[in-house]
Amino acid sequence: MVRRLLTTTALVAGLALPAYAEGLVPEPAPAGTAQEAAALRTALAAYVTDVPFKKGILRVEPDPMGQRVTLDAAPFLKADLGIDVKVAPISFLVSPRADGDWNVFTGDPIDVKFDTTIADTLQSFAYSQGEQKFKGVFAPSLFAYRTAEGFARDTVSLQNEALSDSSTTVANTKLTTSARPGQAGGVDIDFRQTFTDYAQTVSFKAPPPAEGEDGSEPAETEALANSLLINIGVKASELETIASVKDGRNVEARDLYVLVLRNMPAFAVDQKATLAGPFGKELRAALLKLMPFWSSLDVTVSTRDAGFQSSFGALRVGEARQVTHMTGIAENAGLDTDFALKGLSIDGPFLPPWAARFVPKEAALGLSVSGVDLKTPADLAIRNADFAADEPLSEDVKARIIQSFDPARIKIALKPSTLSATDFNLHLSGEMNFVDMNPAATLNVRAEGLENTISSLQRAAEQEPDLHQVVGMIQMAQGLGRKTTDGDWEWVVDAAADGSVSVNGAVVKGPDPVVDPEADEADPEAEPNEGASDGAPSSDGAQ
């Protein structure tokens, strides 16, 4: 039990490298001993093997405030692999708590630099933090941080390659996370990470021809390369990710990893024999326990005051947000996502002045998918797989898995959505399902300001004659629509499973021709009535 507590604590601390809050200091703890350090090293070896310790990549040492686990990969990379990488050591201070949880702390900023030569071209990478601290309480029983917070300042990432250079800076990064037991036996986890003053620039360049290759002087070839340079810039005053997991299978995922790692030596000697033995049964049981991964996963990604700049123009967004909800591997699995934009504007030489009125300033789009049975096929695959066989799934099992998918249960919905510009507001909604494996859909469209849109395009067409075609197409669509009591225009488009399409009840396309599958199977390459001519017998028949 102690071994597992120590192991999981150190492992999760190692995985927290990117995690970062201010004024953080280690929790007071008794001084560690050499015996405790040795026990922690032995426990870690069960998870990462003994190799990192023998190579000097990992070491565990007693500390006046517990145990210190240090990751220092640079000497190994230089001595064993010949890679000259400057990687600052990172250490984690861990200490046990009276309730069985563990304190974890690190205050070492990440600093990595290396150069490499590919095809005679020097390439480089650098990642650094001005300051970084992380402090948390790790719960081995949850295999997650019960509480944790962290921060980083002045994060810089630089990458120079043959055809591109990139630079990313983040002034401040903050993180908080928490975990607790879930209602269905898993782990509930909440997570929030915020970047402020984010900026990224990428430069794409064309390699200049070799000297003398085109008869030009070196200065001329350099000028040519500079003329082909394309710069792209992305910035945001804030980027934030919020996630919530319900009943995540953290402990089960850890146990699966440990099981695989423990059997790797035998697996390397004889894969089939290892999978045909006890490991195969244990692997199947571990995979079943891992299902359904989680009961639900909710993720919100948002940005404020964002901009995209290039030689083709600039795009600015006051606020953007995407909210996604998904189930785990369930009998009625689903996905639900909503995307919203506010304060959108586009400027550039390729956007004519008249078009600015038709660029949406705000948008809200939503999509949902429900009724997908993921549990049955996953269960069939895991329970019936022969891991030692060349083809783990038999043809019979494959057929049963395919049969378990029932398209008639699946429903795809376009949730009430809007696009708003200067001259118009467009409202959209609809849904799609399947009838006898064929899709059937309904789309509802309502347009506000359609007359204003046509008038603006007609005025623009005086300078851009090609726009008359666009005006004609919109007027044709208007002819298919119907006016509502409040003066808007609406269209209800129905696409039936038989291939027919109607708009506001008027059929615009009839059903698809019915094809006799037995006739196709009899002679799929034969033309209709092939070999016949007005019912007269063929020359072979005459004989």
Side-chain angles (χ1 to χ4, degrees):
M1 181 65 179
V2 173
R3 179 187 186 193
R4 172 156 292 187
L5 294 178
L6 293 171
T7 301
T8 53
T9 299
L11 276 176
V12 176
L15 295 174
L17 290 179
Y20 317 104
E22 306 181 32
L24 300 179
V25 295
E27 284 293 310
T33 65
Q35 183 179 4
E36 292 170 340
L40 178 56
R41 181 189 184 283
T42 301
L44 279 171
Y47 281 73
V48 300
T49 75
D50 226 12
V51 174
F53 295 100
K54 292 181 178 180
K55 297 292 185 180
I57 301 172
L58 275 177
R59 61 179 182 269
V60 182
E61 303 164 307
D63 185 272
M65 299 184 69
Q67 303 297 327
R68 185 171 296 275
V69 181
T70 302
L71 173 65
D72 187 6
F76 163 75
L77 295 173
K78 177 67 174 178
D80 289 51
L81 303 181
I83 302 176
D84 189 9
V85 180
K86 297 179 175 63
V87 184
I90 299 175
S91 63
F92 299 88
L93 186 62
V94 301
S95 60
R97 297 167 58 94
D99 58 4
D101 293 346
W102 286 72
N103 298 313
V104 180
F105 176 84
T106 181
D108 296 336
I110 300 174
D111 191 355
V112 180
K113 297 179 183 178
F114 71 86
D115 299 327
T116 185
T117 301
I118 300 177
D120 298 326
T121 301
L122 180 65
Q123 302 187 17
S124 61
F125 172 83
Y127 182 94
S128 64
Q129 298 169 333
E131 183 182 7
Q132 185 264 127
K133 287 185 179 181
F134 172 85
K135 179 179 180 179
V137 176
F138 177 71
S141 61
L142 304 176
F143 198 64
Y145 283 100
R146 197 177 297 277
T147 61
E149 57 181 336
F151 76 90
R153 294 192 181 96
D154 302 325
T155 301
V156 179
S157 176
L158 303 173
Q159 190 165 349
N160 300 308
E161 299 180 344
L163 300 179
S164 67
D165 299 331
S166 68
S167 170
T168 303
T169 60
V170 182
N172 294 285
T173 303
K174 291 185 178 182
L175 174 144
T176 60
T177 184
S178 62
R180 58 201 173 278
Q183 293 183 353
V187 181
D188 292 351
I189 302 173
D190 294 321
F191 170 91
R192 180 191 294 265
Q193 182 167 270
T194 305
F195 297 139
T196 56
D197 296 331
Y198 172 93
Q200 181 180 20
T201 59
V202 181
S203 299
F204 298 95
K205 52 192 177 183
E211 183 177 349
E213 184 178 291
D214 59 355
S216 58
E217 297 296 326
E220 296 177 359
T221 60
E222 183 177 355
L224 174 62
N226 290 334
S227 69
L228 297 175
L229 185 67
I230 298 176
N231 294 317
I232 295 176
V234 179
K235 65 178 182 178
S237 64
E238 181 178 283
L239 286 170
E240 186 173 65
T241 300
I242 302 173
S244 176
V245 179
K246 299 296 184 184
D247 289 306
R249 297 300 191 261
N250 294 33
V251 175
E252 292 78 5
R254 178 201 63 194
D255 292 344
L256 174 61
Y257 165 78
V258 172
L259 173 66
V260 173
L261 187 65
R262 188 173 65 240
N263 285 274
M264 285 304 295
F267 189 80
V269 175
D270 192 331
Q271 298 181 14
K272 290 188 175 182
T274 303
L275 289 168
F279 174 54
K281 294 180 180 179
E282 294 174 340
L283 178 61
R284 191 187 317 279
L287 289 171
L288 289 171
K289 289 181 179 179
L290 188 61
M291 298 294 113
F293 297 147
W294 51 69
S295 297
S296 66
L297 171 63
D298 294 271
V299 180
T300 299
V301 180
S302 61
T303 182
R304 292 191 301 106
D305 302 327
F308 174 87
Q309 182 78 43
S310 75
S311 55
F312 302 105
L315 182 149
R316 286 177 291 276
V317 179
E319 182 180 345
R321 179 183 300 269
Q322 182 174 7
V323 180
T324 301
H325 168 84
M326 64 179 71
T327 66
I329 307 299
E331 292 182 354
N332 186 24
L335 170 70
D336 192 283
T337 185
D338 293 279
F339 180 74
L341 286 174
K342 293 183 178 180
L344 177 65
S345 65
I346 300 176
D347 298 315
F350 299 100
L351 184 70
W354 61 264
R357 302 180 64 85
F358 306 104
V359 175
K361 295 181 178 181
E362 295 187 5
L365 303 172
L367 180 71
S368 68
V369 180
S370 60
V372 183
D373 185 356
L374 298 178
K375 182 180 184 300
T376 300
D379 194 69
L380 282 170
I382 295 173
R383 292 184 183 279
N384 294 280
D386 182 355
F387 297 117
D390 293 333
E391 290 289 339
L393 297 179
S394 66
E395 294 302 319
D396 176 65
V397 172
K398 291 179 182 178
R400 291 166 60 193
I401 290 174
I402 294 174
Q403 189 177 12
S404 69
F405 285 101
D406 184 6
R409 295 181 49 186
I410 301 174
K411 180 180 179 180
I412 303 173
L414 175 63
K415 300 159 67 174
S417 303
T418 59
L419 294 173
S420 300
T422 301
D423 281 346
F424 68 86
N425 293 320
L426 196 62
H427 303 265
L428 306 167
S429 65
E431 63 179 43
M432 183 178 76
N433 52 24
F434 295 87
V435 179
D436 296 331
M437 301 294 289
N438 295 315
T442 298
L443 176 64
N444 302 293
V445 182
R446 182 168 60 88
E448 301 176 37
L450 184 60
E451 288 83 359
N452 291 339
T453 301
I454 294 175
S455 298
S456 296
L457 285 171
Q458 287 173 332
R459 288 192 298 270
E462 296 175 1
Q463 304 297 326
E464 300 281 348
D466 290 345
L467 288 177
H468 285 297
Q469 297 181 13
V470 178
V471 173
M473 294 175 63
I474 294 178
Q475 289 176 330
M476 182 181 300
Q478 185 182 29
L480 293 172
R482 62 190 176 201
K483 206 164 188 177
T484 66
T485 55
D486 53 6
D488 300 336
W489 288 85
E490 69 176 4
W491 300 261
V492 178
V493 183
D494 289 303
D498 62 5
S500 63
V501 179
S502 65
V503 179
N504 292 335
V507 177
V508 296
K509 176 186 176 297
D512 294 333
V514 177
V515 179
D516 185 355
E518 294 184 359
D520 287 348
E521 292 176 2
D523 190 356
E525 298 182 359
E527 295 293 333
N529 299 323
E530 183 180 51
S533 177
D534 297 329
S538 65
S539 58
D540 291 340
Q543 295 176 358

